[in-house]
Amino acid sequence: MPRWKKNYNELKALVAPLSSAPSVISELKNGSAWYVPGGKSTSARIYADAGANYVFADDEHSGSVPLAFETVFDKGAEMQTFWAHQNIIRAIDKTYKELEQDYAPYTGFRAFKERNIYGCNTGKVDFYEDSPFHPDRLLKDLIKIFHPTLLEGYELKYFTKLAE
């Protein structure tokens, strides 16, 4: 068995017995649509393996699904939610202030209000180059985000909590 697979399975087993699972939404609105990973996507699977409830897990698609902002808001606004997204090729990390300036209705999400948004700045980290070959590293990041008391001493590799 490859080392990454062994690591992945061990991490998955770490969260399996947990009784609570936070909800997660992902990505950002892009133009008129919010493209979310389908419920049968790799992203949805890794959120589940990290011990989270992906709000679109019941969707039957394996690729991106374009949704209206209101649809995402209705599903994820009030849940105890984390929000994970990738910034594509930026020199700086996105902030709460910038997110609000980009689209003011983002501020209505509980994840925004409670400061539970994490971003992956793909201009600074090798997310797309690394994570397909080491999904265990991505899983470890997500477990640390969703269950902060686990993996004591672990520093996130891909994601950072948004700054003000």
Side-chain angles (χ1 to χ4, degrees):
M1 176 182 302
R3 182 171 175 77
W4 70 263
K5 192 169 191 173
K6 180 180 180 296
N7 291 344
Y8 191 98
N9 288 335
E10 287 173 358
L11 288 163
K12 186 177 163 182
L14 179 67
V15 299
L18 299 178
S19 59
S20 67
S23 296
V24 63
I25 59 173
S26 67
E27 306 316 321
L28 297 169
K29 184 178 170 300
N30 186 1
S32 63
W34 189 321
Y35 292 88
V36 302
K40 304 294 183 207
S41 67
T42 304
S43 295
R45 175 78 270 153
I46 203 164
Y47 293 145
D49 290 349
N53 291 319
Y54 177 48
V55 298
F56 295 104
D58 59 350
D59 178 85
E60 292 297 319
H61 295 90
S62 60
S64 291
V65 180
L67 299 174
F69 173 83
E70 294 77 14
T71 303
V72 179
F73 189 82
D74 288 347
K75 280 276 239 192
E78 290 303 320
M79 295 180 157
Q80 176 57 43
T81 305
F82 286 87
W83 183 350
H85 70 87
Q86 284 86 40
N87 291 340
I88 299 177
I89 309 179
R90 293 174 42 102
I92 58 169
D93 295 332
K94 196 171 263 305
T95 64
Y96 283 98
K97 182 178 180 180
E98 185 181 358
L99 204 57
E100 182 176 4
Q101 289 170 346
D102 288 351
Y103 194 64
Y106 286 147
T107 63
F109 282 93
R110 185 173 174 184
F112 188 98
K113 294 173 190 171
E114 294 181 0
R115 301 308 200 239
N116 282 331
I117 303 177
Y118 290 78
C120 174
N121 185 337
T122 60
K124 291 172 58 175
V125 298
D126 55 356
F127 179 83
Y128 293 114
E129 298 81 7
D130 189 52
S131 63
F133 302 103
H134 300 284
D136 54 320
R137 295 175 185 170
L138 176 56
L139 181 63
K140 198 169 191 178
D141 260 24
L142 294 173
I143 289 171
K144 185 64 178 178
I145 290 168
F146 302 144
H147 306 284
T149 59
L150 296 178
L151 305 173
E152 190 174 320
Y154 175 72
E155 297 291 327
L156 298 174
K157 176 175 177 48
Y158 303 112
F159 288 90
T160 58
K161 196 163 191 172
L162 262 62
E164 290 301 315

